[in-house]
Amino acid sequence: MFRIDLLQNQWLWASLAIGLVLVLATALAYLAWWRSPKPSRVPWILGLTYIALVIFTVAYTLWKSVRPPNW
């Protein structure tokens, strides 16, 4: 029983940690955007965040299409 609870909470903590990292990256990107000397230049953290989100979206969609949930 402990093993099942541990695995369930593991995904909960992992999703919370990833969400916190994405929120902090977005906040830092917002600050870097307004502090940059040239407003037309995109900060590296903003580009990195968007690239990571696109890669995650494509990978998650492909993963779920191969292994659909068994509801």
Side-chain angles (χ1 to χ4, degrees):
M1 187 66 169
F2 177 72
R3 182 68 179 158
I4 293 172
D5 292 340
L6 181 66
L7 289 176
Q8 288 174 349
N9 291 333
Q10 172 183 334
W11 293 109
L12 176 68
W13 287 110
S15 64
L16 286 174
I18 291 171
L20 181 64
V21 166
L22 288 176
V23 167
L24 288 175
T26 305
L28 289 175
Y30 181 76
L31 290 174
W33 178 264
W34 289 108
R35 289 184 183 173
S36 68
K38 298 177 184 177
S40 63
R41 189 177 134 240
V42 177
W44 64 270
I45 188 70
L46 187 62
L48 205 64
T49 302
Y50 288 147
I51 290 171
L53 286 175
V54 167
I55 290 172
F56 175 75
T57 302
V58 170
Y60 186 76
T61 305
L62 290 174
W63 183 61
K64 283 296 183 181
S65 67
V66 172
R67 296 179 188 89
N70 188 7
W71 296 336

